Amino acid sequence: MKLPWILCITASLAVCPPTYAAAKSDCALMQQLAQEHANDMARREKMDHSGFHSRAGRGARAENVAMGSKTEAEAMAQWRNSPGHAANMRLAGCKAVAHAVSSSGRHYWAMVIGKSPAELASQSTSKGTTRSGKSGTWGGAWGSPFPLLRTP
């Protein structure tokens, strides 16, 4: 079953892939991607999903972002209270949360959710065709390899 990604994420617990080494590697990469994005948002003082396609190419399937919450617990509560963000948090795969503070003192949060072990396994063994007819790992809406689930 193909699951769409949503333009936001959160969480800090990991769902481990088949081997411990693979899980450790995948989760470490998701943590790195989350920290890079939180740092970038704080540097630019702008909350957004800029660069998500690059993170998706490195194994991310979704992300949540937040601004203003001073603690991880506050950011997690913010995401849990939003249906789209909460749906991201329920996706299978490693979840990593990172935090950065801008020069003006604003707090930025990024949660990056990695692809599930099943997605990673099928990605390495199968190829599909997107709606645009281009070869890809899985087909997405609007001819993109990254389908978008719009949230209200």
Side-chain angles (χ1 to χ4, degrees):
M1 179 173 136
K2 297 177 189 173
L3 295 175
W5 57 268
I6 300 173
L7 286 181
C8 295
I9 293 184
T10 187
S12 58
L13 301 174
V15 175
C16 295
T19 67
Y20 177 75
K24 191 173 179 183
S25 171
D26 181 55
C27 291
L29 176 58
M30 294 307 106
Q31 188 64 50
Q32 177 185 341
L33 295 176
Q35 191 63 62
E36 287 172 1
H37 188 49
N39 291 347
D40 185 55
M41 289 189 297
R43 181 186 56 78
R44 294 180 295 111
E45 298 215 27
K46 183 175 181 185
M47 182 184 75
D48 61 18
H49 297 281
S50 178
F52 180 75
H53 285 286
S54 173
R55 289 185 292 283
R58 295 172 66 192
R61 74 185 303 194
E63 71 183 13
N64 288 339
V65 295
M67 179 182 74
S69 299
K70 292 188 179 179
T71 67
E72 183 175 339
E74 289 174 2
M76 296 291 282
Q78 210 177 352
W79 290 322
R80 270 198 248 17
N81 290 326
S82 163
H85 294 90
N88 277 347
M89 294 170 72
R90 290 189 298 270
L91 294 171
C94 182
K95 296 163 186 75
V97 176
H99 168 251
V101 181
S102 71
S103 60
S104 69
R106 283 194 182 110
H107 294 255
Y108 291 85
W109 295 86
M111 172 189 266
V112 175
I113 299 165
K115 293 178 182 171
S116 70
E119 285 176 307
L120 292 171
S122 69
Q123 185 173 344
S124 65
T125 60
S126 68
K127 291 282 185 180
T129 303
T130 64
R131 290 183 188 171
S132 66
K134 296 178 183 172
S135 176
T137 304
W138 38 279
W142 313 292
S144 167
F146 307 107
L148 171 65
L149 177 61
R150 296 181 185 239
T151 57

